Amino acid sequence: MPQQRVADLSCRLSEYVEPDRVRREVYTDPAIFELEMRRIHERVWIYCGHESQVPKAGDYYVVQIGRQPMVMVRGADGKVNVLYNRCPHRGNMMVGDRHGSSGEFFRCSYHAWTFHHDGRLRSIPMMESGYAGTPYGKDHPDCSMKRAARAENYRGFVFASLSPEGLSLVDFLGKAIVAFDDMCDRAPQGEVEIVPNCFRVIQKSNWKIFLENQLDALHPSVTHQSTGRAAHEVEKDIEKKSGHAPLSYHMLSAFATVTIDKWDNFQTLNYPHGHCILTGYMGLRPKDPDTLAYEKTLVDAYGEKRMEEILGVNIHHVLIYPGLSVQSPLQQLRAVRPLGVDRTLTEIWHFRLKGAPEAIYRRSLAYYNLVNSPATLVNADDLENFWKCHQGLSSEGGDWVSFARHFGRDLQKGEMVETAANCGTSEAPMRNQMKAWARYMAAQ
Ligand code: FES
Ligand SMILES: [Fe+2]
Protein backbone atom coordinates (compact mmCIF):
# COMPACT_ATOMS: atom_id res chain seq x y z
CA MET A 1 0.00 0.00 0.00
CA PRO A 2 1.52 3.41 -0.94
CA GLN A 3 2.79 5.46 2.03
CA GLN A 4 0.37 8.33 1.33
CA ARG A 5 -2.58 5.91 1.42
CA VAL A 6 -1.33 4.52 4.75
CA ALA A 7 -1.01 8.05 6.16
CA ASP A 8 -4.55 9.00 5.01
CA LEU A 9 -5.98 5.82 6.44
CA SER A 10 -4.18 6.29 9.77
CA CYS A 11 -5.78 9.75 10.11
CA ARG A 12 -9.27 8.39 9.47
CA LEU A 13 -8.88 5.44 11.82
CA SER A 14 -8.93 7.64 14.91
CA GLU A 15 -12.51 8.59 13.96
CA TYR A 16 -13.57 5.00 13.43
CA VAL A 17 -13.35 3.73 17.00
CA GLU A 18 -15.32 5.27 19.87
CA PRO A 19 -15.42 3.76 23.37
CA ASP A 20 -18.80 2.08 22.80
CA ARG A 21 -19.10 1.79 18.99
CA VAL A 22 -17.03 1.37 15.80
CA ARG A 23 -17.54 2.25 12.15
CA ARG A 24 -18.56 -0.56 9.80
CA GLU A 25 -15.54 0.04 7.52
CA VAL A 26 -13.37 -1.51 10.21
CA TYR A 27 -14.85 -4.85 9.06
CA THR A 28 -15.22 -4.23 5.34
CA ASP A 29 -12.45 -1.97 3.98
CA PRO A 30 -9.69 -4.04 2.26
CA ALA A 31 -7.15 -1.25 2.92
CA ILE A 32 -7.85 -1.46 6.65
CA PHE A 33 -7.39 -5.21 6.44
CA GLU A 34 -3.95 -4.75 4.82
CA LEU A 35 -2.93 -2.35 7.58
CA GLU A 36 -4.21 -4.76 10.26
CA MET A 37 -1.97 -7.46 8.85
CA ARG A 38 1.05 -5.13 8.96
CA ARG A 39 0.43 -3.50 12.30
CA ILE A 40 -1.21 -6.29 14.27
CA HIS A 41 -0.84 -9.85 12.96
CA GLU A 42 2.67 -9.42 11.55
CA ARG A 43 3.90 -7.71 14.72
CA VAL A 44 2.44 -9.32 17.82
CA TRP A 45 2.83 -12.86 19.13
CA ILE A 46 0.80 -15.28 17.01
CA TYR A 47 0.13 -18.89 17.94
CA CYS A 48 1.83 -21.23 15.47
CA GLY A 49 0.97 -24.61 16.90
CA HIS A 50 1.76 -27.13 19.60
CA GLU A 51 5.17 -28.76 19.75
CA SER A 52 3.54 -32.22 19.64
CA GLN A 53 2.61 -31.45 16.01
CA VAL A 54 6.33 -31.81 15.22
CA PRO A 55 7.50 -34.58 17.57
CA LYS A 56 10.71 -35.63 15.77
CA ALA A 57 13.70 -33.72 14.40
CA GLY A 58 12.88 -32.64 10.85
CA ASP A 59 9.08 -32.71 11.37
CA TYR A 60 7.40 -29.57 10.08
CA TYR A 61 3.98 -27.95 10.03
CA VAL A 62 3.09 -24.88 7.97
CA VAL A 63 1.24 -21.91 9.40
CA GLN A 64 0.11 -18.55 8.07
CA ILE A 65 1.06 -15.49 10.14
CA GLY A 66 -0.73 -12.46 8.75
CA ARG A 67 0.05 -12.67 5.04
CA GLN A 68 3.28 -14.63 5.54
CA PRO A 69 3.62 -18.36 4.83
CA MET A 70 5.69 -19.78 7.69
CA VAL A 71 6.92 -23.22 8.67
CA MET A 72 7.35 -24.55 12.19
CA VAL A 73 10.10 -27.18 12.29
CA ARG A 74 11.81 -29.28 14.98
CA GLY A 75 15.61 -29.11 14.90
CA ALA A 76 18.07 -31.85 15.83
CA ASP A 77 18.66 -30.00 19.13
CA GLY A 78 14.97 -30.47 19.99
CA LYS A 79 14.16 -26.80 19.58
CA VAL A 80 11.14 -25.76 17.51
CA ASN A 81 12.09 -23.08 14.94
CA VAL A 82 9.74 -20.85 12.97
CA LEU A 83 10.99 -19.89 9.47
CA TYR A 84 9.57 -18.19 6.41
CA ASN A 85 8.54 -20.95 4.01
CA ARG A 86 10.69 -19.54 1.24
CA CYS A 87 13.94 -20.49 -0.41
CA PRO A 88 16.44 -17.61 -0.44
CA HIS A 89 17.66 -18.60 -3.93
CA ARG A 90 14.73 -17.82 -6.25
CA GLY A 91 11.88 -17.71 -3.79
CA ASN A 92 10.47 -21.21 -4.15
CA MET A 93 8.32 -22.36 -1.26
CA MET A 94 10.47 -24.74 0.76
CA VAL A 95 7.65 -27.15 1.64
CA GLY A 96 4.43 -27.53 -0.30
CA ASP A 97 2.58 -29.92 2.01
CA ARG A 98 0.77 -28.80 5.14
CA HIS A 99 2.96 -31.05 7.30
CA GLY A 100 5.47 -33.84 7.04
CA SER A 101 9.12 -34.67 7.62
CA SER A 102 11.96 -32.85 5.92
CA GLY A 103 14.45 -35.52 6.99
CA GLU A 104 17.86 -34.37 8.16
CA PHE A 105 17.63 -31.04 6.35
CA PHE A 106 15.40 -29.00 4.03
CA ARG A 107 16.11 -29.50 0.34
CA CYS A 108 14.60 -27.08 -2.14
CA SER A 109 12.79 -28.87 -4.95
CA TYR A 110 13.96 -26.35 -7.57
CA HIS A 111 17.80 -26.32 -7.53
CA ALA A 112 18.61 -28.42 -4.45
CA TRP A 113 19.94 -25.76 -2.10
CA THR A 114 19.80 -27.39 1.34
CA PHE A 115 19.25 -25.84 4.77
CA HIS A 116 19.59 -26.82 8.41
CA HIS A 117 16.37 -26.78 10.46
CA ASP A 118 17.28 -23.43 11.97
CA GLY A 119 17.33 -21.98 8.42
CA ARG A 120 21.13 -21.80 7.93
CA LEU A 121 22.43 -22.70 4.46
CA ARG A 122 23.90 -26.20 4.41
CA SER A 123 24.91 -26.62 0.76
CA ILE A 124 24.48 -25.41 -2.82
CA PRO A 125 25.23 -27.75 -5.75
CA MET A 126 28.86 -27.14 -6.78
CA MET A 127 28.97 -24.14 -4.47
CA GLU A 128 32.74 -23.51 -4.66
CA SER A 129 32.89 -23.24 -8.44
CA GLY A 130 29.42 -21.74 -8.88
CA TYR A 131 29.92 -18.88 -6.44
CA ALA A 132 33.72 -18.34 -6.59
CA GLY A 133 34.43 -14.62 -6.65
CA THR A 134 30.98 -13.67 -5.33
CA PRO A 135 30.17 -12.69 -1.77
CA TYR A 136 27.63 -15.50 -1.58
CA GLY A 137 28.16 -18.66 0.41
CA LYS A 138 27.42 -20.27 3.77
CA ASP A 139 28.12 -17.15 5.81
CA HIS A 140 26.13 -14.73 3.69
CA PRO A 141 22.80 -13.97 5.41
CA ASP A 142 20.98 -13.73 2.05
CA CYS A 143 21.71 -17.40 1.48
CA SER A 144 19.82 -18.67 4.54
CA MET A 145 16.11 -19.13 5.07
CA LYS A 146 14.75 -16.17 6.99
CA ARG A 147 13.64 -16.86 10.54
CA ALA A 148 10.68 -15.31 12.33
CA ALA A 149 12.12 -12.38 14.27
CA ARG A 150 11.17 -14.09 17.51
CA ALA A 151 9.82 -17.53 18.47
CA GLU A 152 9.00 -18.84 21.94
CA ASN A 153 7.54 -21.97 23.40
CA TYR A 154 5.36 -21.78 26.52
CA ARG A 155 4.52 -25.21 27.99
CA GLY A 156 4.51 -26.70 24.49
CA PHE A 157 2.53 -23.91 22.79
CA VAL A 158 4.69 -22.27 20.12
CA PHE A 159 4.28 -18.59 19.26
CA ALA A 160 6.15 -16.35 16.83
CA SER A 161 6.38 -12.63 16.29
CA LEU A 162 7.55 -11.20 12.98
CA SER A 163 8.76 -8.05 14.73
CA PRO A 164 12.10 -7.97 16.56
CA GLU A 165 10.67 -5.44 18.99
CA GLY A 166 7.98 -5.70 21.60
CA LEU A 167 7.09 -7.48 24.80
CA SER A 168 8.30 -10.97 25.63
CA LEU A 169 5.68 -13.68 25.07
CA VAL A 170 5.02 -14.02 28.81
CA ASP A 171 4.57 -10.28 29.24
CA PHE A 172 2.34 -10.11 26.17
CA LEU A 173 0.11 -12.91 27.46
CA GLY A 174 -0.10 -11.43 30.96
CA LYS A 175 -2.93 -13.00 32.98
CA ALA A 176 -4.24 -14.74 29.85
CA ILE A 177 -1.37 -17.18 30.30
CA VAL A 178 -3.81 -19.05 32.56
CA ALA A 179 -5.21 -20.59 29.34
CA PHE A 180 -2.08 -22.74 28.99
CA ASP A 181 -1.38 -23.22 32.68
CA ASP A 182 -4.94 -24.37 33.33
CA MET A 183 -4.89 -26.77 30.40
CA CYS A 184 -1.51 -28.30 31.25
CA ASP A 185 -2.04 -28.37 35.03
CA ARG A 186 -5.17 -30.48 34.54
CA ALA A 187 -2.92 -33.23 33.12
CA PRO A 188 -1.47 -35.59 35.75
CA GLN A 189 1.84 -35.36 33.83
CA GLY A 190 1.62 -31.58 33.55
CA GLU A 191 1.58 -31.63 29.75
CA VAL A 192 -0.89 -31.90 26.92
CA GLU A 193 -0.61 -33.51 23.52
CA ILE A 194 -2.38 -32.29 20.43
CA VAL A 195 -4.87 -34.61 18.74
CA PRO A 196 -4.30 -34.73 15.00
CA ASN A 197 -5.91 -33.41 12.88
CA CYS A 198 -7.99 -30.24 13.27
CA PHE A 199 -11.19 -29.04 11.68
CA ARG A 200 -10.66 -26.13 9.31
CA VAL A 201 -13.55 -23.79 8.63
CA ILE A 202 -13.48 -20.83 6.26
CA GLN A 203 -15.94 -18.17 7.36
CA LYS A 204 -17.17 -15.60 4.90
CA SER A 205 -16.75 -12.77 7.35
CA ASN A 206 -14.11 -10.56 8.89
CA TRP A 207 -11.77 -12.09 11.52
CA LYS A 208 -12.90 -9.68 14.24
CA ILE A 209 -16.49 -10.94 14.01
CA PHE A 210 -15.30 -14.39 15.13
CA LEU A 211 -13.25 -12.99 18.01
CA GLU A 212 -16.08 -10.76 19.22
CA ASN A 213 -18.35 -13.79 19.35
CA GLN A 214 -16.07 -15.83 21.59
CA LEU A 215 -16.85 -14.04 24.85
CA ASP A 216 -20.28 -12.82 23.82
CA ALA A 217 -22.23 -14.21 26.76
CA LEU A 218 -25.51 -12.78 25.48
CA HIS A 219 -25.65 -14.88 22.33
CA PRO A 220 -25.54 -18.55 23.49
CA SER A 221 -29.04 -18.66 24.93
CA VAL A 222 -30.37 -16.93 21.79
CA THR A 223 -28.34 -18.26 18.86
CA HIS A 224 -28.05 -21.77 20.31
CA GLN A 225 -31.42 -21.96 22.02
CA SER A 226 -32.98 -24.37 19.50
CA THR A 227 -30.06 -26.79 19.81
CA GLY A 228 -30.14 -26.51 23.61
CA ARG A 229 -33.87 -27.13 23.83
CA ALA A 230 -33.78 -30.19 21.57
CA ALA A 231 -30.87 -31.67 23.55
CA HIS A 232 -32.63 -30.93 26.83
CA GLU A 233 -35.74 -32.82 25.73
CA VAL A 234 -33.65 -35.91 24.89
CA GLU A 235 -31.61 -35.53 28.08
CA LYS A 236 -34.76 -35.47 30.24
CA ASP A 237 -36.11 -38.50 28.42
CA ILE A 238 -32.93 -40.54 28.95
CA GLU A 239 -32.80 -39.46 32.57
CA LYS A 240 -36.38 -40.61 33.14
CA LYS A 241 -35.70 -43.99 31.58
CA SER A 242 -32.22 -44.77 32.90
CA GLY A 243 -31.73 -42.61 35.97
CA HIS A 244 -28.99 -40.45 34.50
CA ALA A 245 -28.13 -38.87 31.16
CA PRO A 246 -24.62 -38.82 29.66
CA LEU A 247 -22.64 -35.63 30.34
CA SER A 248 -22.46 -34.96 26.60
CA TYR A 249 -26.16 -34.02 26.57
CA HIS A 250 -25.48 -31.46 29.27
CA MET A 251 -22.88 -29.83 27.00
CA LEU A 252 -25.67 -29.01 24.56
CA SER A 253 -28.67 -28.58 26.87
CA ALA A 254 -26.74 -25.93 28.82
CA PHE A 255 -27.35 -23.60 25.86
CA ALA A 256 -31.04 -23.64 26.82
CA THR A 257 -30.86 -24.12 30.59
CA VAL A 258 -28.22 -21.44 31.21
CA THR A 259 -30.49 -18.50 30.46
CA ILE A 260 -29.44 -14.88 29.92
CA ASP A 261 -29.92 -13.95 33.58
CA LYS A 262 -27.58 -16.81 34.57
CA TRP A 263 -24.96 -15.68 32.05
CA ASP A 264 -25.13 -12.29 33.76
CA ASN A 265 -23.85 -13.99 36.94
CA PHE A 266 -20.56 -14.75 35.19
CA GLN A 267 -17.91 -12.12 34.73
CA THR A 268 -15.39 -10.99 32.17
CA LEU A 269 -11.90 -9.83 33.05
CA ASN A 270 -10.48 -7.61 30.32
CA TYR A 271 -6.76 -7.07 29.99
CA PRO A 272 -4.39 -4.86 28.01
CA HIS A 273 -3.53 -6.04 24.46
CA GLY A 274 -7.18 -7.12 24.00
CA HIS A 275 -7.06 -10.38 25.98
CA CYS A 276 -10.07 -11.41 28.04
CA ILE A 277 -11.21 -14.16 30.41
CA LEU A 278 -14.82 -15.28 30.85
CA THR A 279 -15.26 -16.85 34.27
CA GLY A 280 -17.65 -19.67 35.11
CA TYR A 281 -17.52 -23.16 33.72
CA MET A 282 -20.70 -24.93 32.71
CA GLY A 283 -19.40 -28.45 33.44
CA LEU A 284 -18.25 -27.51 36.98
CA ARG A 285 -17.22 -30.59 38.96
CA PRO A 286 -19.44 -33.57 38.14
CA LYS A 287 -19.26 -36.47 40.59
CA ASP A 288 -19.54 -39.36 38.13
CA PRO A 289 -17.15 -42.35 38.40
CA ASP A 290 -14.98 -41.11 35.48
CA THR A 291 -14.38 -37.76 37.16
CA LEU A 292 -13.63 -39.40 40.49
CA ALA A 293 -11.10 -41.77 38.86
CA TYR A 294 -9.49 -38.77 37.17
CA GLU A 295 -9.35 -36.84 40.44
CA LYS A 296 -7.52 -39.77 41.97
CA THR A 297 -4.81 -39.62 39.26
CA LEU A 298 -4.38 -35.91 40.06
CA VAL A 299 -4.16 -36.59 43.80
CA ASP A 300 -1.52 -39.26 43.13
CA ALA A 301 0.45 -36.79 41.01
CA TYR A 302 0.07 -33.60 43.02
CA GLY A 303 -1.62 -34.32 46.37
CA GLU A 304 -5.12 -33.40 47.55
CA LYS A 305 -4.54 -29.67 48.10
CA ARG A 306 -3.00 -29.00 44.69
CA MET A 307 -5.67 -31.13 42.97
CA GLU A 308 -8.35 -28.90 44.53
CA GLU A 309 -6.49 -25.79 43.36
CA ILE A 310 -6.16 -27.14 39.82
CA LEU A 311 -9.79 -28.19 39.44
CA GLY A 312 -10.96 -25.04 41.22
CA VAL A 313 -9.78 -22.76 38.39
CA ASN A 314 -13.05 -21.28 37.27
CA ILE A 315 -12.74 -20.16 33.68
CA HIS A 316 -14.96 -20.84 30.72
CA HIS A 317 -13.00 -19.21 27.97
CA VAL A 318 -9.80 -17.24 27.42
CA LEU A 319 -9.41 -14.99 24.41
CA ILE A 320 -5.87 -14.12 23.41
CA TYR A 321 -6.04 -11.22 20.99
CA PRO A 322 -5.74 -11.18 18.01
CA GLY A 323 -5.97 -14.81 17.12
CA LEU A 324 -6.73 -17.39 19.76
CA SER A 325 -9.70 -18.68 21.70
CA VAL A 326 -9.00 -21.30 24.37
CA GLN A 327 -11.40 -23.35 26.49
CA SER A 328 -8.85 -24.87 28.83
CA PRO A 329 -11.16 -26.93 31.13
CA LEU A 330 -12.20 -28.93 28.04
CA GLN A 331 -8.85 -28.71 26.24
CA GLN A 332 -10.18 -26.87 23.20
CA LEU A 333 -8.32 -24.28 21.12
CA ARG A 334 -9.39 -22.30 18.09
CA ALA A 335 -6.81 -20.35 16.09
CA VAL A 336 -7.94 -17.55 13.80
CA ARG A 337 -6.11 -17.02 10.50
CA PRO A 338 -7.40 -14.00 8.55
CA LEU A 339 -7.37 -14.67 4.80
CA GLY A 340 -8.92 -11.46 3.52
CA VAL A 341 -11.23 -8.70 4.68
CA ASP A 342 -14.24 -11.01 4.26
CA ARG A 343 -12.63 -14.42 4.68
CA THR A 344 -11.32 -16.04 7.85
CA LEU A 345 -9.94 -19.49 8.47
CA THR A 346 -10.37 -21.02 11.90
CA GLU A 347 -8.43 -24.10 12.97
CA ILE A 348 -10.30 -26.04 15.63
CA TRP A 349 -8.04 -28.24 17.77
CA HIS A 350 -8.37 -30.29 20.92
CA PHE A 351 -5.82 -31.85 23.25
CA ARG A 352 -5.26 -34.94 25.35
CA LEU A 353 -4.28 -34.52 29.01
CA LYS A 354 -1.16 -36.67 29.42
CA GLY A 355 -1.69 -39.27 32.13
CA ALA A 356 -5.47 -38.77 32.44
CA PRO A 357 -7.92 -41.69 32.01
CA GLU A 358 -9.29 -42.30 28.51
CA ALA A 359 -12.82 -41.32 29.64
CA ILE A 360 -11.62 -37.77 30.29
CA TYR A 361 -10.25 -37.60 26.76
CA ARG A 362 -13.60 -38.88 25.43
CA ARG A 363 -15.26 -35.96 27.24
CA SER A 364 -13.00 -33.47 25.49
CA LEU A 365 -13.65 -35.22 22.17
CA ALA A 366 -17.42 -35.08 22.80
CA TYR A 367 -17.27 -31.32 23.39
CA TYR A 368 -15.09 -30.91 20.31
CA ASN A 369 -17.57 -32.79 18.12
CA LEU A 370 -20.79 -31.54 19.69
CA VAL A 371 -20.01 -27.87 20.23
CA ASN A 372 -16.97 -26.72 18.27
CA SER A 373 -16.89 -28.88 15.14
CA PRO A 374 -18.42 -27.76 11.82
CA ALA A 375 -20.72 -30.80 12.03
CA THR A 376 -22.71 -29.40 14.94
CA LEU A 377 -25.66 -27.03 14.78
CA VAL A 378 -23.95 -24.88 17.41
CA ASN A 379 -21.15 -24.02 15.03
CA ALA A 380 -23.51 -23.78 12.03
CA ASP A 381 -25.74 -21.27 13.84
CA ASP A 382 -22.73 -19.11 14.71
CA LEU A 383 -21.44 -19.30 11.14
CA GLU A 384 -24.77 -18.19 9.76
CA ASN A 385 -24.75 -15.15 12.07
CA PHE A 386 -21.15 -14.30 11.10
CA TRP A 387 -22.03 -14.33 7.40
CA LYS A 388 -25.19 -12.33 7.99
CA CYS A 389 -23.26 -9.78 10.09
CA HIS A 390 -20.78 -9.35 7.28
CA GLN A 391 -23.57 -8.88 4.74
CA GLY A 392 -25.29 -6.28 6.92
CA LEU A 393 -22.05 -4.44 7.59
CA SER A 394 -21.31 -4.33 3.86
CA SER A 395 -24.64 -2.57 3.24
CA GLU A 396 -25.52 1.09 3.59
CA GLY A 397 -28.15 0.33 6.21
CA GLY A 398 -26.13 1.93 8.99
CA ASP A 399 -22.61 3.17 9.74
CA TRP A 400 -21.92 1.93 13.25
CA VAL A 401 -21.61 -1.30 15.24
CA SER A 402 -22.75 -0.93 18.87
CA PHE A 403 -20.88 -2.28 21.89
CA ALA A 404 -22.87 -0.29 24.46
CA ARG A 405 -24.34 -3.09 26.58
CA HIS A 406 -23.49 -2.29 30.24
CA PHE A 407 -21.25 0.55 29.02
CA GLY A 408 -20.28 2.86 31.88
CA ARG A 409 -20.50 0.10 34.51
CA ASP A 410 -17.06 -1.39 33.91
CA LEU A 411 -14.76 -1.40 36.90
CA GLN A 412 -11.20 -0.30 36.18
CA LYS A 413 -8.84 -2.22 38.48
CA GLY A 414 -5.27 -1.23 37.65
CA GLU A 415 -4.69 -2.36 34.09
CA MET A 416 -7.70 -4.67 34.12
CA VAL A 417 -11.32 -3.82 33.33
CA GLU A 418 -13.74 -6.01 35.23
CA THR A 419 -17.46 -6.24 34.54
CA ALA A 420 -19.60 -5.21 37.50
CA ALA A 421 -21.81 -7.67 39.39
CA ASN A 422 -24.62 -9.09 37.25
CA CYS A 423 -23.11 -7.70 34.07
CA GLY A 424 -21.74 -10.96 32.62
CA THR A 425 -23.40 -10.21 29.28
CA SER A 426 -21.61 -6.87 29.07
CA GLU A 427 -20.01 -5.95 25.76
CA ALA A 428 -16.85 -5.03 27.68
CA PRO A 429 -14.77 -7.70 25.84
CA MET A 430 -15.62 -6.14 22.46
CA ARG A 431 -14.86 -2.65 23.77
CA ASN A 432 -11.57 -3.98 25.11
CA GLN A 433 -10.66 -5.65 21.81
CA MET A 434 -11.37 -2.50 19.83
CA LYS A 435 -9.38 -0.39 22.31
CA ALA A 436 -6.39 -2.67 21.72
CA TRP A 437 -7.05 -2.65 17.96
CA ALA A 438 -7.02 1.16 17.85
CA ARG A 439 -3.76 1.27 19.81
CA TYR A 440 -2.06 -1.26 17.55
CA MET A 441 -3.31 0.45 14.41
CA ALA A 442 -2.06 3.88 15.55
CA ALA A 443 1.51 2.64 16.11
CA GLN A 444 3.65 3.43 13.05
S1 FES B 1 14.67 -21.73 -5.69
FE1 FES B 1 15.36 -22.99 -4.12
S2 FES B 1 17.21 -23.82 -4.81
FE2 FES B 1 16.56 -22.49 -6.37
FE1 LIG C 1 -21.92 -19.36 19.59
Side-chain angles (χ1 to χ4, degrees):
M1 205 187 319
Q3 278 311 315
Q4 188 52 44
R5 184 82 214 282
V6 171
D8 293 349
L9 195 54
S10 298
C11 288
R12 272 190 289 134
L13 286 181
S14 60
E15 293 159 20
Y16 281 5
V17 182
E18 295 183 2
D20 61 346
R21 61 178 194 165
V22 298
R23 289 276 308 190
R24 70 181 181 92
E25 290 87 343
V26 160
Y27 301 86
T28 57
D29 183 341
I32 292 183
F33 177 81
E34 283 292 304
L35 205 59
E36 284 174 333
M37 295 303 102
R38 276 196 210 187
R39 293 194 175 164
I40 305 179
H41 290 263
E42 293 171 12
R43 274 190 187 163
V44 306
W45 289 101
I46 297 290
Y47 174 68
C48 298
H50 191 265
E51 64 173 3
S52 55
Q53 284 170 255
V54 288
K56 296 192 294 300
D59 288 352
Y60 69 84
Y61 218 104
V62 301
V63 59
Q64 182 94 358
I65 298 185
R67 298 159 300 179
Q68 312 304 322
M70 309 296 291
V71 57
M72 175 173 88
V73 58
R74 173 90 66 176
D77 59 357
K79 206 169 155 256
V80 178
N81 303 297
V82 182
L83 312 170
Y84 286 77
N85 185 9
R86 178 193 189 277
C87 176
H89 179 216
R90 301 257 285 277
N92 197 24
M93 232 178 202
M94 189 55 63
V95 293
D97 291 340
R98 195 190 300 281
H99 63 99
S101 169
S102 57
E104 286 175 25
F105 47 83
F106 283 119
R107 181 178 184 275
C108 182
S109 61
Y110 201 174
H111 313 95
W113 285 30
T114 65
F115 303 90
H116 298 286
H117 293 131
D118 59 4
R120 279 177 304 125
L121 178 70
R122 179 179 168 276
S123 66
I124 296 176
M126 314 255 319
M127 182 157 63
E128 284 72 25
S129 56
Y131 287 85
T134 79
Y136 300 108
K138 276 191 188 163
D139 297 327
H140 197 287
D142 289 356
C143 293
S144 286
M145 288 172 72
K146 188 175 168 185
R147 300 169 63 95
R150 296 180 292 163
E152 282 190 36
N153 176 340
Y154 183 77
R155 297 193 73 167
F157 296 84
V158 178
F159 285 76
S161 159
L162 303 187
S163 165
E165 282 145 31
L167 297 171
S168 69
L169 175 63
V170 169
D171 288 342
F172 168 77
L173 292 172
K175 297 280 188 211
I177 208 163
V178 69
F180 309 111
D181 286 335
D182 184 44
M183 204 192 289
C184 295
D185 289 347
R186 283 170 189 267
Q189 292 174 17
E191 286 179 354
V192 294
E193 186 179 16
I194 207 156
V195 181
N197 203 339
C198 70
F199 289 120
R200 288 184 174 80
V201 178
I202 293 180
Q203 309 171 4
K204 293 181 183 156
S205 52
N206 187 263
W207 61 278
K208 297 186 290 300
I209 292 178
F210 176 84
L211 287 186
E212 285 159 9
N213 172 262
Q214 293 307 292
L215 273 64
D216 182 331
L218 181 61
H219 95 284
S221 37
V222 181
T223 302
H224 307 305
Q225 190 189 48
S226 55
T227 304
R229 276 191 184 160
H232 194 40
E233 287 308 309
V234 182
E235 185 182 27
K236 281 191 294 190
D237 207 40
I238 297 177
E239 207 157 17
K240 208 156 83 193
K241 286 183 189 140
S242 68
H244 84 279
L247 192 63
S248 50
Y249 281 91
H250 174 70
M251 292 171 181
L252 288 175
S253 65
F255 286 109
T257 55
V258 182
T259 47
I260 294 176
D261 53 315
K262 290 184 189 145
W263 278 103
D264 256 338
N265 293 332
F266 297 151
Q267 193 182 32
T268 58
L269 311 173
N270 299 280
Y271 295 97
H273 319 307
H275 311 328
C276 182
I277 297 172
L278 174 65
T279 64
Y281 169 47
M282 68 167 97
L284 293 175
R285 291 273 296 274
K287 289 287 166 215
D288 60 286
D290 291 338
T291 307
L292 297 178
Y294 164 56
E295 286 183 4
K296 186 168 176 319
T297 62
L298 284 179
V299 172
D300 292 346
Y302 302 116
E304 186 85 28
K305 184 165 169 280
R306 181 73 186 122
M307 180 274 282
E308 283 298 335
E309 278 170 13
I310 290 169
L311 296 183
V313 173
N314 183 30
I315 57 179
H316 182 271
H317 223 124
V318 181
L319 182 131
I320 297 168
Y321 196 78
L324 207 52
S325 163
V326 184
Q327 290 166 290
S328 48
L330 287 156
Q331 300 88 53
Q332 314 280 315
L333 177 150
R334 281 172 286 178
V336 182
R337 316 283 183 202
L339 302 178
V341 70
D342 58 356
R343 231 153 238 270
T344 304
L345 168 72
T346 53
E347 293 173 7
I348 309 164
W349 295 96
H350 74 304
F351 295 81
R352 192 183 276 275
L353 298 174
K354 281 193 178 176
E358 182 66 14
I360 297 303
Y361 168 65
R362 306 299 302 181
R363 190 171 291 174
S364 162
L365 177 64
Y367 194 85
Y368 183 67
N369 282 329
L370 290 172
V371 179
N372 285 340
S373 89
T376 158
L377 287 176
V378 177
N379 191 291
D381 285 339
D382 280 328
L383 284 174
E384 192 197 0
N385 279 342
F386 300 164
W387 177 75
K388 282 157 67 183
C389 277
H390 203 89
Q391 297 307 302
L393 292 172
S394 306
S395 78
E396 291 175 5
D399 290 332
W400 295 91
V401 170
S402 166
F403 296 137
R405 190 174 175 88
H406 291 312
F407 180 60
R409 298 193 196 149
D410 300 336
L411 308 171
Q412 186 80 42
K413 295 195 171 172
E415 285 204 299
M416 181 195 31
V417 171
E418 197 178 287
T419 45
N422 292 318
C423 292
T425 62
S426 168
E427 283 166 341
M430 299 78 176
R431 295 193 282 274
N432 190 51
Q433 286 168 45
M434 285 315 303
K435 198 162 106 189
W437 184 89
R439 222 175 21 232
Y440 283 130
M441 293 292 273
Q444 292 301 309

